[in-house]
């Protein structure tokens, strides 16, 4: 496969090309959204804008916003990342998953790691949610909290799963699509090129910071940064984008499952998955220890040298000889 860009293109330039392709993908995504809204919802562009500004006031608001979010993220993110790989002359697996996964059961271990980290992550979430900026940044803090409060209202609206169908749409749009698109962009392209440009650890940490900052949630920056580190190292160690995708999807989907069960009254003790309160240290401390243990196991497995493969060759006498023994 031959692309129109050289494979030796500087990592910084590859990231800039990605940005351009994300913009182009966003334009294509909006074209799809407007066409879908007109044919599927019977809405004009002006009506789409009105519903997007006040979705709760429209009976089609939830469906329209879910469609818009899913289409835009998938087309722009996935299309942009795959477009860059294609422009460089790489196939999907060659660029994003140069190493084989091995046994698929390791994806379950990765999923287990994410679930195990949640009690400890709740303490970071609680601390970050209550953080305050210096007095000189008071106006910025007020703006940031106001912005996040508005975003929280929209999130609560989108995650109001009053039917099983809505829940499964949520799993697809809020769980799976970001896990695929964001991993291709942030780990598959941005982190990969930052690692090439600087060093493995700098690439992972800087990539995690960009991943967290791009979400524009300042009072959730630290927990998302920590998640970015976990996803980043899983990809660095494994060399397979499916690993970080599995972890990202588990993070999203598990919280949606908890939310859905809570909305259906399955937690009789009043558990609130929307709360930013920290879980007890009796859960957080074992969470830290188990997470560290699983990370160690995953690191050992993914970075272990591949077992040598026996190759049979023919000696000059025509006798089969195992490779390395001739």
């Amino acid at each position: 496969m031959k692309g129109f860009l050289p494979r030796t293109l500087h990592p910084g330039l590859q990231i800039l090309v990605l940005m351009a392709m994300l913009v182009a993908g966003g334009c294509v995504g909006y074209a799809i959204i407007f066409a879908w809204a007109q044919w599927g919802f019977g809405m004009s562009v002006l009506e789409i804008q009105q519903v997007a500004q006040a979705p709760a006031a429209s009976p089609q608001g939830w469906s329209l916003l879910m469609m818009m979010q899913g289409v835009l993220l998938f087309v722009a993110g996935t299309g942009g990342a795959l477009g860059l790989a294609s422009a460089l002359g790489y196939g999907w697996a060659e660029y994003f998953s140069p190493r084989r996964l091995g046994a698929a059961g390791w994806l379950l271990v990765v999923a287990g790691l994410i679930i195990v980290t949640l009690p400890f992550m709740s303490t970071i979430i609680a601390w970050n949610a209550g953080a305050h900026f210096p007095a000189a940044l008071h106006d910025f803090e007020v703006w940031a909290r106001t912005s996040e409060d508005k975003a929280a209202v929209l999130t609560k609206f989108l995650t109001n799963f009053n039917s099983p169908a809505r829940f499964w749409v949520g799993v697809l749009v809020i769980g799976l699509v970001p896990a695929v698109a964001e991993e291709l962009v942030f780990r598959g392209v941005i982190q990969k090129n930052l690692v090439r440009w600087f060093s493995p650890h700098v690439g992972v940490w800087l990539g995690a910071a960009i991943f967290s900052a791009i979400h524009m949630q300042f009072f959730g920056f630290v927990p998302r940064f920590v998640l970015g580190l976990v996803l980043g190292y899983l990809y660095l160690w494994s060399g397979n984008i499916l690993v970080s995708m599995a972890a990202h999807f588990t993070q999203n989907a598990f919280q949606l499952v908890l939310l859905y069960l809570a909305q259906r009254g399955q937690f009789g003790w009043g558990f609130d998955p929307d709360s930013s309160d920290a879980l007890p240290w009796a859960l957080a401390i074992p969470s830290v220890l188990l997470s560290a243990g699983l990370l160690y196991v995953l690191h050992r497995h993914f970075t272990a040298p591949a077992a040598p493969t026996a190759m049979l060759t023919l000696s000059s006498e025509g006798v089969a000889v195992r490779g390395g023994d001739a």
Side-chain angles (χ1 to χ4, degrees):
M1 182 176 180
K2 188 175 181 180
F4 61 86
L5 294 176
R7 292 191 175 189
T8 56
L9 188 68
H10 188 277
L13 293 178
Q14 289 197 32
I15 294 175
L16 287 177
V17 173
L18 170 69
M19 298 298 106
M21 290 195 170
L22 291 178
V23 172
C27 294
V28 174
Y30 274 114
I32 295 173
I33 287 169
F34 291 143
W36 191 340
Q38 183 175 5
W39 296 333
F41 294 85
M43 293 182 179
S44 65
V45 173
L46 179 60
E47 289 172 328
I48 294 171
Q49 295 173 339
Q50 292 172 342
V51 172
Q53 291 174 358
S58 171
Q60 296 176 309
W62 189 90
S63 299
L64 180 64
L65 255 62
M66 275 294 192
M67 182 271 286
M68 292 177 66
Q69 180 171 321
V71 169
L72 187 60
L73 184 56
F74 183 79
V75 174
T78 305
L82 294 180
L84 173 65
S86 178
L88 293 168
Y90 289 97
W92 186 93
E94 186 183 7
Y95 190 85
F96 298 103
S97 301
R99 277 185 258 167
R100 292 179 179 271
L101 176 62
W106 284 101
L107 295 180
L108 296 178
V109 179
V110 168
L113 166 68
I114 296 301
I115 294 172
V116 164
T117 63
L118 292 179
F120 172 64
M121 289 292 287
S122 75
T123 65
I124 302 178
I125 291 171
W127 170 80
N128 198 178
H132 292 281
F133 288 87
L137 297 175
H138 175 72
D139 291 341
F140 173 78
E141 180 177 345
V142 171
W143 171 83
R145 288 197 181 276
T146 302
S147 299
E148 293 195 21
D149 288 343
K150 291 180 180 178
V153 171
L154 179 60
T155 300
K156 194 172 185 65
F157 172 74
L158 291 176
T159 54
N160 179 21
F161 303 131
N162 54 20
S163 69
R166 274 198 174 195
F167 168 71
W168 288 112
V169 171
V171 170
L172 174 64
V173 174
I174 303 174
L176 183 59
V177 171
V180 173
E182 292 184 3
E183 288 311 300
L184 288 174
V185 170
F186 290 103
R187 253 60 62 180
V189 176
I190 293 178
Q191 177 181 301
K192 176 193 288 289
N193 282 285
L194 290 174
V195 166
R196 285 181 54 215
W197 195 352
F198 301 106
S199 70
H201 293 299
V202 171
V204 170
W205 284 67
L206 189 53
I210 295 172
F211 168 70
S212 185
I214 208 73
H215 285 82
M216 296 294 291
Q217 292 181 321
F218 302 97
F219 297 99
F221 178 89
V222 177
R224 188 171 281 107
F225 173 71
V226 173
L227 174 63
L229 288 178
V230 173
L231 297 174
Y233 277 110
L234 287 175
Y235 182 51
L236 179 70
W237 297 338
S238 67
N240 194 302
I241 200 68
L242 294 178
V243 173
S244 60
M245 282 182 179
H248 198 149
F249 174 73
T250 302
Q251 170 75 20
N252 296 343
F254 189 73
Q255 294 189 33
L256 292 177
V257 169
L258 292 179
L259 187 60
Y260 181 61
L261 292 176
Q263 290 174 359
R264 296 177 68 87
Q266 298 299 312
F267 299 116
W269 64 90
F271 172 69
D272 182 9
D274 283 329
S275 173
S276 60
D277 295 338
L279 292 175
W281 281 104
L283 294 176
I285 293 176
S287 169
V288 174
L289 298 176
L290 287 172
S291 299
L294 284 173
L295 283 169
Y296 175 77
V297 169
L298 289 166
H299 174 260
R300 287 289 301 271
H301 169 72
F302 287 135
T303 60
T309 56
M311 297 178 62
L312 294 180
T313 59
L314 290 177
S315 68
S316 59
E317 290 79 16
V319 179
V321 178
R322 189 173 300 274
D325 296 336

